[in-house]
Amino acid sequence: VLPIGKLYELNHSGLMIPSIQRDYKWGPGHQEKDDLNSAAYVFLEDMLDFYKLRSQDDIYFTGTMIVFEESGEPRTQLMDGQQRWTTITALTSIIRYIILKSNDSTKYQQIIDDIEERFLTLPNGENFLTSRKISDRRTLKFIVNITEDLTLRELPDSFKNVFEFKRDDISYKGTALNSTICYFLNKLKTRFQIAGPFSEIEDLISFYECFRDNVYINYSHTKSPTLAYKMFVTANSRGTPLNNFDVFRGLVLANNRINNYGAEELLQTDLDDTDKILQELFSTKKDFAKAIDQAMSNALTILM
């Protein structure tokens, strides 16, 4: 488990999204429709909220990544986490692009180099992340190597997997990856009040440093494709899914410990009593977890 900005220290050969993986699917969603994937929108909102609201020593855990080595392949192969790391690549590429477009880009050359070394390129100049999927590979190559003289209008297009997204009254049409990249650019420029090359970008750089150092990932690297697959299946299917009270309980206890409120034993007792009451109330229900989820939803509605 490590900050995402240090993952490159454990992987010197770069990452490959193998052909068995699906295309990039996360997207900015649609403000008037619920049927389009909005995972990239949610991810960036989480990152911006974390940057704005985090307390000292707070971290954001973004999940797991499982990679494996394969005979004859110079790169490690991504078994799990390709959507997340592709999104991270898109976000860091856009941050670099905005800095490059700044009138003071030479002043921030150290930050540009830092982004490239940690997230975007290998020492030989190749992309840190690439894909067997032709459309995504072309887009990744373009955005990682984009210069200040280019615009996102020149992103490689595709005749497959074309979607229509909409956020903040701006429409995006194209692949999920192309749309996410364009959305990230517009959102970051709006959030950090960057209107042109003479705009102040110190806050954006602070956001990048927070993202680099305080967003954590669980990175598992194995030489066995079989073991990687077993780890993937275990991580995604084993055990009983958490219900909303389980999540609430964990958040309350974590928040209590992070903020040093104290009296954890009394708090634990209250939570245990509540858990017991919920079990007594819904033990006869066919879907116990769903019943608890509904009760938690009703309770939140009343509180709100």
Side-chain angles (χ1 to χ4, degrees):
V1 178
L2 74 164
I4 57 172
K6 290 189 175 182
L7 187 142
Y8 79 106
E9 296 177 359
L10 301 182
N11 188 315
H12 301 291
S13 59
L15 295 168
M16 170 67 76
I17 301 170
S19 55
I20 59 170
Q21 295 278 23
R22 57 182 180 167
D23 293 322
Y24 180 78
K25 294 295 184 184
W26 284 18
H30 198 294
Q31 64 195 43
E32 297 160 8
K33 302 175 184 177
D34 295 327
D35 58 345
L36 284 177
N37 194 307
S38 60
Y41 161 77
V42 172
F43 179 82
L44 183 54
E45 288 294 308
D46 277 359
M47 295 301 101
L48 292 170
D49 285 346
F50 176 66
Y51 170 64
K52 180 181 178 181
L53 303 173
R54 70 178 291 268
S55 56
Q56 188 176 7
D57 300 325
D58 194 11
I59 66 166
Y60 183 102
F61 180 65
T62 188
T64 62
M65 177 185 290
I66 301 171
V67 304
F68 63 94
E69 296 179 23
E70 193 168 36
S71 177
E73 290 285 353
R75 291 171 173 266
T76 48
Q77 310 289 299
L78 258 167
M79 175 65 74
D80 188 29
Q82 66 127 330
Q83 302 288 333
R84 188 177 306 109
W85 198 259
T86 304
T87 304
I88 289 170
T89 302
L91 180 57
T92 51
S93 293
I94 285 298
I95 293 173
R96 172 186 172 273
Y97 177 62
I98 294 174
I99 298 172
L100 283 173
K101 298 283 279 186
S102 167
N103 191 55
D104 290 331
S105 60
T106 54
K107 174 182 173 182
Y108 302 109
Q109 187 60 50
Q110 188 174 350
I111 287 291
I112 294 171
D113 293 342
D114 186 75
I115 296 171
E116 292 174 352
E117 180 182 11
R118 293 176 185 272
F119 295 101
L120 304 183
T121 56
L122 295 170
N124 63 6
E126 293 182 1
N127 277 27
F128 182 81
L129 174 69
T130 188
S131 175
R132 293 286 185 200
K133 300 292 184 178
I134 295 175
S135 177
D136 288 349
R137 181 172 70 245
R138 289 167 58 207
T139 293
L140 286 168
K141 185 175 181 180
F142 176 86
I143 195 60
V144 164
N145 297 284
I146 192 171
T147 66
E148 63 271 28
D149 300 323
L150 298 175
T151 71
L152 296 193
R153 288 192 295 271
E154 297 170 79
L155 275 167
D157 56 10
S158 172
F159 298 106
K160 298 193 309 175
N161 301 312
V162 174
F163 303 93
E164 293 187 18
F165 301 96
K166 188 176 182 181
R167 279 290 169 194
D168 303 319
D169 295 324
I170 300 175
S171 296
Y172 305 92
K173 184 176 181 179
T175 64
L177 182 53
N178 285 15
S179 299
T180 292
I181 287 168
C182 294
Y183 167 70
F184 281 174
L185 176 65
N186 289 329
K187 183 67 177 185
L188 290 178
K189 288 172 70 175
T190 300
R191 167 62 178 78
F192 295 103
Q193 300 180 340
I194 299 169
F198 294 99
S199 298
E200 180 60 59
I201 61 172
E202 287 290 345
D203 199 16
L204 175 66
I205 291 172
S206 294
F207 167 71
Y208 163 71
E209 292 172 337
C210 173
F211 177 74
R212 175 195 68 194
D213 298 335
N214 300 292
V215 176
Y216 277 61
I217 196 164
N218 187 331
Y219 179 75
S220 299
H221 188 135
T222 173
K223 294 184 178 182
S224 165
T226 302
L227 178 57
Y229 180 73
K230 288 181 178 179
M231 292 167 68
F232 169 71
V233 171
T234 301
N236 286 277
S237 66
R238 185 170 293 174
T240 304
L242 299 176
N243 61 50
N244 282 350
F245 181 75
D246 295 329
V247 176
F248 171 77
R249 177 196 189 112
L251 286 171
V252 169
L253 289 171
N255 195 51
N256 181 70
R257 182 164 294 183
I258 289 168
N259 292 289
N260 296 311
Y261 291 142
E264 184 169 311
E265 186 174 343
L266 294 174
L267 184 60
Q268 183 76 54
T269 300
D270 287 341
L271 289 165
D272 287 345
D273 288 344
T274 307
D275 194 20
K276 182 180 178 183
I277 291 169
L278 288 170
Q279 291 184 45
E280 290 173 349
L281 282 172
F282 302 118
S283 60
T284 59
K285 294 288 185 180
K286 184 177 181 180
D287 193 335
F288 173 73
K290 187 175 181 179
I292 287 184
D293 287 351
Q294 185 61 54
M296 293 295 293
S297 176
N298 291 342
L300 180 60
T301 301
I302 292 168
L303 287 169
M304 293 298 288

